[in-house]
Amino acid sequence: LGYFVLNRWLLTKDFLNNKQLEILLDQAFSEKMLFYKIGKSNTDSVFLRSFSSLLIALLLIRDNRNEFLHIENYQQVITKVAAYCELEKDDRGYIEKKGWAHAPAHIADVIVECVKNRYTGIKECEMLMTASLRLIQNGKEVFTAEEDERISLAVCSMVEQNKVPISILMEWLKKQDAINGRNMVSRNRRINFKHFLRCLYFRLEEKSLLSDSREDLLTL
């Protein structure tokens, strides 16, 4: 209920001025929200962290529509998103009798909005690609709630938004496959990585973005 109210206030009604939006974004990134008990798993603290991600996504959508962030503020956003992806250890999807946790999927939505931002270039995308990979590496179980789909959407958007050439993405994927893919200690993490690659392939193919890189991705 709170999320839908915020959605309406921030994106339909355009409530809050620029200063208020900045304050709300700072609060969302604080240890009382996104970083609340970060690193804990199998506790209800994940709900506060995960739904803080959704608030951050709404604020970034607002900024992409009506600019209110300065470049210094945005650089802090990228740094904090990357830190969160590194530290989040609770990868549960739907929890019986409690609802959706879905932390990897929700922060992937944030990454999509970061990619769309006017301040995002190749350097920022490299940080966000690494952050996306951390979500897969941190997964203890095989994803069952389409987290791999949401993460692939974040990476695909970098090519779709012309922020990362497909050739650069392919080189990055080959490197990650060599370092983190075939040699992943956890079988579940390897499976998640493979599912991510498949999702990414079909998304890029659907949008006709693969070009001559189709065979390279198929060999991973």
Side-chain angles (χ1 to χ4, degrees), residues 121-123 125-126 129 155-173 204 209-211 213:
I122 186 68
K123 179 181 177 181
C125 281
E126 287 174 351
M129 283 192 288
V155 176
C156 179
S157 67
M158 299 177 192
V159 181
E160 188 177 9
Q161 295 289 322
N162 296 315
K163 301 294 180 75
V164 176
I166 188 67
S167 58
I168 298 297
L169 176 60
M170 288 301 107
E171 288 302 315
W172 182 81
L173 287 172
L204 292 169
L209 296 171
L210 274 174
S211 183
S213 301

Side-chain angles (χ1 to χ4, degrees), residues 41-220:
S41 59
N42 298 314
T43 73
D44 287 350
S45 63
V46 67
F47 292 104
L48 179 54
R49 295 195 300 272
S50 184
F51 280 82
S52 296
S53 290
L54 291 183
L55 171 57
I56 291 168
L58 290 178
L59 289 165
L60 291 175
I61 292 171
R62 173 73 174 266
D63 179 66
N64 285 334
R65 292 182 182 179
N66 307 106
E67 301 173 5
F68 70 87
L69 283 175
H70 299 292
I71 187 168
E72 294 82 6
N73 304 113
Y74 180 70
Q75 288 171 341
Q76 292 179 14
V77 167
I78 292 287
T79 299
K80 290 175 182 177
V81 168
Y84 173 81
C85 292
E86 180 82 31
L87 297 171
E88 181 60 76
K89 305 301 181 186
D90 198 325
D91 62 344
R92 290 175 295 168
Y94 185 80
I95 302 172
E96 289 295 331
K97 299 182 180 180
K98 293 185 179 181
W100 286 99
H102 226 201
H106 289 176
I107 197 65
D109 295 345
V110 173
I111 293 174
V112 170
E113 294 307 318
C114 286
V115 171
K116 294 177 182 178
N117 195 275
R118 62 199 173 280
Y119 296 129
T120 296
I122 186 68
K123 179 181 177 181
E124 289 74 23
C125 281
E126 287 174 351
M127 290 180 63
L128 294 171
M129 283 192 288
T130 299
S132 300
L133 182 66
R134 290 291 180 267
L135 298 174
I136 299 170
Q137 291 175 324
N138 287 346
K140 297 181 291 296
E141 304 296 332
V142 175
F143 291 143
T144 59
E146 298 187 340
E147 292 88 350
D148 40 18
E149 287 277 358
R150 301 276 274 278
I151 297 169
S152 73
L153 177 62
V155 176
C156 179
S157 67
M158 299 177 192
V159 181
E160 188 177 9
Q161 295 289 322
N162 296 315
K163 301 294 180 75
V164 176
I166 188 67
S167 58
I168 298 297
L169 176 60
M170 288 301 107
E171 288 302 315
W172 182 81
L173 287 172
K174 289 177 184 177
K175 181 178 179 181
Q176 303 314 314
D177 185 58
I179 297 174
N180 302 296
R182 305 181 193 282
N183 298 319
M184 277 186 177
V185 175
S186 167
R187 178 174 177 272
N188 290 342
R189 290 170 183 167
R190 172 60 184 161
I191 291 172
N192 285 336
F193 185 68
K194 289 170 66 177
H195 288 175
F196 158 74
L197 289 176
R198 292 186 184 109
C199 294
L200 182 61
Y201 172 85
F202 285 109
R203 286 194 178 278
L204 292 169
E205 179 75 357
E206 179 188 19
K207 297 178 182 297
S208 302
L209 296 171
L210 274 174
S211 183
D212 297 330
S213 301
R214 186 176 292 102
E215 293 300 322
D216 289 338
L217 188 52
L218 285 172
T219 59
L220 293 178

